[in-house]
Amino acid sequence: MPARLRRRIDTLQVTTVEGLATRPDVRVDGGVLVALSAAVHAGEVLRFDYAAASPQEADDDGVLTPPRRVEPHHLVTWGGRWHVVAWDLDREDWRTFRADRITPRSPTGPRFPRREAPGGDVAVVVGRFDAGIEVVGPAELREAFAQLARRYARAASGAMGGVGRAEPMLRSP
């Protein structure tokens, strides 16, 4: 194998995390996977555009703005999808990004010192159990989460006001 190809293949390091449920495989451009893996391997800050999950969140080009800046930790396959587990420099927290929504920007940024994944295990970051949730839209989903939060708060407080009382659920248009 030519040295140039061998070097690119050697940088491809993938972590597999057992998922709770599998989804259909989503195709990711091979060049994107190589770029993501290279940034992980080199320990270089990764800059990228991240495609919006819904049209309401997107700018005219279909991306969220501004570009993301992260310290990539692992390239992960989980539930039939590719993800990058990274420390988000702007949000100062661990995040998981779907690789099929990433468009890497060039060049990568400076090298960074490696961080320890919470609990020492990348599976913790991927969110098998205690995962933070950020609802980015649509508004109906935000309201559904708010309804659940009210129900859980009543249950946790021991309040009987919510027992046996039906709360209307949202319906999709």
Side-chain angles (χ1 to χ4, degrees):
M1 179 179 306
R4 181 180 64 84
L5 283 176
R6 186 177 28 233
R7 188 172 55 246
R8 289 179 76 178
I9 289 172
D10 288 344
T11 64
L12 188 62
Q13 298 176 3
V14 178
T15 302
T16 302
V17 176
E18 294 297 320
L20 297 175
T22 59
R23 297 177 197 106
D25 289 334
V26 176
R27 296 183 78 63
V28 179
D29 180 83
V32 170
L33 291 176
V34 169
L36 298 176
S37 186
V40 169
H41 182 73
E44 295 174 339
V45 171
L46 179 64
R47 297 179 317 117
F48 58 91
D49 292 321
Y50 198 59
S54 68
Q56 297 91 332
E57 304 164 3
D59 65 10
D60 293 335
D61 297 323
V63 298
L64 295 172
T65 55
R68 305 301 286 261
R69 296 179 322 114
V70 301
E71 296 174 351
H73 191 275
H74 276 276
L75 184 60
V76 175
T77 60
W78 179 58
R81 291 198 171 139
W82 290 92
H83 301 270
V84 173
V85 175
W87 177 261
D88 190 310
L89 292 167
D90 298 317
R91 288 162 178 81
E92 296 182 350
D93 197 8
W94 287 97
R95 295 286 195 261
T96 303
F97 300 94
R98 282 184 31 190
D100 61 302
R101 294 173 54 191
I102 292 176
T103 303
R105 287 183 167 226
S106 194
T108 54
R111 290 182 183 251
F112 59 89
R114 298 274 180 193
R115 296 175 188 266
E116 176 83 15
D121 186 359
V122 73
V124 172
V125 181
V126 174
R128 293 183 76 184
F129 299 105
D130 189 23
I133 298 173
E134 177 182 354
V135 180
V136 293
E140 294 85 2
L141 181 60
R142 279 192 196 95
E143 180 55 31
F145 268 93
Q147 286 178 358
L148 287 172
R150 288 190 296 270
R151 287 179 183 172
Y152 292 143
R154 282 194 303 267
S157 71
M160 297 301 290
V163 175
R165 196 177 92 204
E167 192 169 336
M169 292 300 293
L170 295 174
R171 296 175 198 243
S172 297

